[in-house]
Amino acid sequence: ISGAYRIHSRLSLGLQLRSARLVQSISEESASDFAMGYGFGLLYRFPEQRLLLGASHFSKINLDASSSNLPGSFALLPGYTQQAIIPSRNSFGLGYIPNRLLRADFSLKQIGSTPHSALLSDQNREVGNKSTLQPHFGFAYVFADFIPIQGILFGGFYLENSRIQELPSRLHTTVGAEAKWSFMNFGIGLKEIC
């Protein structure tokens, strides 16, 4: 559930209520947990109307199915139910709109730590022991603007600082094109991970 409110002609506030549910099962028996979280963000448009400044925060959500009354099958596998953590996220970004044809943005995203997490495939490799910072850059350019047809080129990249122990950081790049005709959109995108 989310909503936004315009506080001032150049300042808007957004709020979000989030829910998550974890279900872990063995055969036909299951254990579950439910939790709530929140998010909020601010967007400010500078007086010259070409620059936008935004920031957001999403809270951490902890889910632990072992806190419920476990069915009998779970007693045979102690430790089967594990805590699940959805990490907190903070973002800060700057958008630039020099004209109606070009848009660009740069943002930094911080993902919170998830201590004592591990891969299902390898319990010895920990995940998310420390928070990570990911820089993002993107742009979109309208190369054709005729009624009722519009063509857009877009691209961008972000650096994924690995949250998995002993894995290097990876650069993700994306390019694509979109065509709009009347009420229909057609698009293609390509993504490469380096």
Side-chain angles (χ1 to χ4, degrees):
I1 300 172
S2 61
Y5 179 70
R6 192 167 151 184
I7 300 170
H8 183 269
S9 61
R10 294 194 297 270
L11 182 65
S12 297
L13 170 68
L15 300 171
Q16 184 180 73
L17 185 63
R18 307 163 66 213
S19 66
R21 184 167 182 249
L22 171 68
V23 178
Q24 295 176 323
S25 59
I26 298 176
S27 186
E28 296 183 13
E29 296 182 326
S30 64
S32 64
D33 191 24
F34 176 83
M36 301 288 290
Y38 65 88
F40 65 88
L42 288 168
L43 183 64
Y44 178 75
R45 187 181 67 206
F46 286 90
E48 69 275 3
Q49 300 187 9
R50 297 185 187 275
L51 284 174
L52 300 168
L53 186 64
S56 65
H57 169 76
F58 292 93
S59 66
K60 179 193 285 190
I61 299 178
N62 292 300
L63 297 157
D64 190 358
S66 65
S67 62
S68 60
N69 293 324
L70 297 177
S73 298
F74 286 80
L76 301 174
L77 295 170
Y80 177 77
T81 57
Q82 298 287 325
Q83 183 183 31
I85 301 171
I86 300 172
S88 63
R89 289 178 292 143
N90 297 299
S91 298
F92 177 81
L94 186 64
Y96 180 56
I97 308 173
N99 53 53
R100 65 185 185 85
L101 302 177
L102 181 63
R103 310 187 295 275
D105 73 272
F106 175 77
S107 63
L108 287 173
K109 297 185 179 183
Q110 182 260 338
I111 301 172
S113 63
T114 53
H116 312 299
S117 300
L119 297 173
L120 288 175
S121 59
D122 185 352
Q123 295 288 310
N124 295 317
R125 296 183 76 181
E126 296 185 338
V127 180
N129 272 346
K130 58 182 181 180
S131 65
T132 58
L133 195 63
Q134 297 181 351
H136 290 237
F137 172 76
F139 75 91
Y141 176 68
V142 178
F143 66 89
D145 193 13
F146 308 103
I147 297 175
I149 297 171
Q150 187 179 61
I152 304 170
L153 293 173
F154 60 87
F157 66 86
Y158 72 94
L159 180 64
E160 178 190 17
N161 291 308
S162 179
R163 297 175 59 79
I164 302 172
Q165 182 181 350
E166 299 174 0
L167 273 189
S169 299
R170 301 184 301 178
L171 182 67
H172 298 251
T173 57
T174 303
V175 294
E178 185 179 62
K180 296 180 180 182
W181 178 63
S182 185
F183 61 90
M184 293 184 290
N185 292 352
F186 304 92
I188 185 170
L190 301 171
K191 181 175 183 176
E192 182 180 1
I193 302 173
C194 304

